[in-house]
């Protein structure tokens, strides 16, 4: 019997032509997900901004044996019922690492060389000479030792930045949580790239921003809930830190009336650090390759530890 692949769709839809004749593709929106889940063998979560899976999964009837999300994070779909089930969850590990790392490096260079004000002065036709900060020789602390965090560390090291990685447990080349305060107190650049778990929820609060040095710049490319946004706003207003850049937020899209838009010293970007031209084709091809493994009875890769909330082994 041909397996049914249910796709929680988004625009543009995934290209799954290679599965013609090998899978029955059924597309759904969030409103109809619950009623279609029982008939699916596989669920492809293409709309990674939706929380529909978390809401629909506890319903009645059978559930897919495998769920794949076209994202690195899985917090948008995990719920107690899915976590406790025998369903395998995989993610898009391998797609976003280098783009996110390049984005972080771009922010570091732009801030150090004061490019935002250069563009402002150009619009004003104002010739205002300034001196930029050196990047080589500075220190960074990257919180999150998974593939994205490690790619950020490699890219910053190529710029001459001394970089420390902090992970869930200490091991060779990676610091544990006990070292976090010490490392961020010495860092010029503090980058949040961790998955969202019970341990990382609002890990950057008022106390942590108070630990950082006044010249530090904070970047979040992990999950919005890693940061207490009110505490960050207070830290910037009090000049506890020099500035910040957020690519992820507690509420997305960021509401037009959010005070974060106008917060001095804050760069706002619309959750785009990992999104590059051709990304959708890469994500679709990755799913097809995983489906071929699944259909052949071979072990899947990128398998998420549902209790931890990320792919272990790094």
């Amino acid at each position: 019997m041909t397996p049914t692949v249910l796709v929680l769709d988004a625009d543009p839809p995934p290209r799954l032509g290679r599965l013609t004749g090998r899978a029955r593709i059924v597309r759904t929106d969030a409103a109809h997900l619950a009623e279609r889940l029982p008939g699916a063998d596989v669920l492809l979560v293409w709309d990674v901004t939706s929380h529909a899976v978390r809401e629909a999964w506890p319903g009645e009837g059978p559930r897919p044996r495998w769920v794949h999300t076209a994202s690195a994070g899985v917090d948008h779909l995990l719920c107690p019922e899915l976590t406790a089930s025998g369903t395998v969850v995989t993610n898009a590990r391998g797609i976003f690492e280098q783009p996110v790392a390049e984005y972080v490096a771009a922010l570091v260079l732009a801030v150090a060389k004061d490019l935002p004000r250069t563009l402002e002065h150009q619009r004003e036709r104002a010739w205002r000479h300034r001196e930029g900060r050196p990047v080589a020789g500075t220190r960074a602390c990257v919180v999150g030792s998974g593939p994205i965090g490690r790619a950020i560390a490699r890219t910053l090291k190529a710029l001459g930045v001394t970089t420390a990685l902090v992970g869930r447990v200490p091991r060779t080349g990676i610091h544990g949580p006990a070292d976090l305060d010490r490392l961020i107190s010495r860092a010029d650049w503090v980058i949040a790239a961790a998955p969202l778990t019970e341990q990382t929820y609002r890990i950057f609060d008022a106390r942590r921003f108070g630990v950082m040095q006044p010249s530090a710049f904070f970047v979040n490319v992990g999950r919005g809930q890693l940061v207490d946004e009110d505490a960050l706003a207070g830290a910037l207003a009090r000049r506890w830190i020099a500035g910040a850049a957020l690519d992820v937020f507690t509420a997305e899209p960021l509401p037009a009336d959010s005070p974060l838009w106008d917060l001095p010293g804050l760069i706002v970007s619309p959750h785009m650090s990992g999104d590059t031209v051709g990304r959708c084709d890469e994500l679709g091809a990755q799913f097809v390759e995983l489906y071929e493994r699944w259909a052949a009875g071979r072990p899947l890769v990128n398998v998420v530890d549902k209790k931890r909330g990320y792919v272990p082994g790094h």
Side-chain angles (χ1 to χ4, degrees):
M1 186 174 177
T2 303
T4 296
V5 175
L6 181 63
V7 182
L8 179 58
D9 233 341
D11 189 40
R15 295 184 181 181
L16 303 177
R18 284 169 53 190
L19 297 184
T20 300
R22 294 188 288 167
R24 175 174 171 260
I25 307 298
V26 176
R27 301 184 184 276
T28 187
D29 57 14
H32 297 91
L33 177 63
E35 66 186 71
R36 291 173 179 162
L37 270 179
D41 298 289
V42 178
L43 173 63
L44 168 58
V45 183
W46 193 253
D47 183 357
V48 299
T49 67
S50 173
H51 293 110
V53 176
R54 198 162 61 190
E55 297 162 1
W57 195 271
E60 297 181 358
R63 290 295 181 259
R65 292 172 282 160
W66 167 37
V67 174
H68 176 76
T69 179
S71 61
V74 296
D75 51 277
H76 60 292
L77 56 88
L78 288 183
C79 61
E81 292 81 3
L82 174 53
T83 300
S85 74
T87 296
V88 176
V89 175
T90 57
N91 74 351
R93 180 181 180 182
I95 302 295
F96 300 104
E97 287 85 340
Q98 193 55 36
V100 173
E102 292 171 0
Y103 198 87
V104 171
L107 285 170
V108 167
L109 289 168
V111 169
K113 305 309 175 185
D114 203 20
L115 292 186
R117 277 204 297 175
T118 295
L119 295 175
E120 289 179 12
H121 294 336
Q122 180 179 350
R123 286 191 291 270
E124 297 167 356
R125 296 175 179 259
W127 183 277
R128 296 175 183 170
H129 180 270
R130 300 168 326 281
E131 294 180 336
R133 294 170 57 190
V135 171
T138 60
R139 295 176 180 269
C141 177
V142 180
V143 182
S145 60
I148 290 176
R150 295 201 304 271
I152 293 170
R154 286 194 303 271
T155 304
L156 292 181
K157 287 177 181 178
L159 296 175
V161 179
T162 300
T163 306
L165 269 171
V166 177
R168 188 178 65 89
V169 294
R171 52 202 185 275
T172 303
I174 297 174
H175 297 268
D179 292 331
L180 179 57
D181 287 352
R182 176 178 61 84
L183 292 170
I184 65 175
S185 70
R186 303 164 56 193
D188 301 288
W189 317 99
V190 179
I191 298 102
L196 179 61
T197 66
E198 290 183 2
Q199 292 72 35
T200 62
Y201 177 76
R202 291 195 172 183
I203 190 173
F204 289 99
D205 55 13
R207 190 187 67 79
R208 285 261 158 71
F209 290 120
V211 168
M212 297 178 196
Q213 54 186 348
S215 60
F217 190 86
F218 175 75
V219 177
N220 186 13
V221 289
R223 283 291 180 265
Q225 293 89 339
L226 300 180
V227 177
D228 181 334
E229 292 174 349
D230 289 339
L232 174 60
L236 289 169
R238 297 180 183 92
R239 298 187 179 180
W240 288 357
I241 59 175
L246 300 181
D247 186 55
V248 287
F249 300 85
T250 299
E252 294 185 7
L254 186 65
D257 60 355
S258 170
L260 294 176
W261 288 106
D262 301 313
L263 195 61
L266 179 63
I267 298 173
V268 171
S269 58
H271 203 149
M272 58 177 285
S273 61
D275 297 344
T276 53
V277 175
R279 165 185 57 95
C280 289
D281 289 341
E282 289 184 65
L283 288 167
Q286 181 186 55
F287 174 74
V288 170
E289 291 172 7
L290 285 170
Y291 180 87
E292 290 171 345
R293 294 178 69 97
W294 178 82
R298 297 163 55 202
L300 288 167
V301 297
N302 292 5
V303 176
V304 173
D305 183 321
K306 293 181 289 183
K307 292 183 177 179
R308 294 184 184 180
Y310 54 88
V311 178
H314 51 63

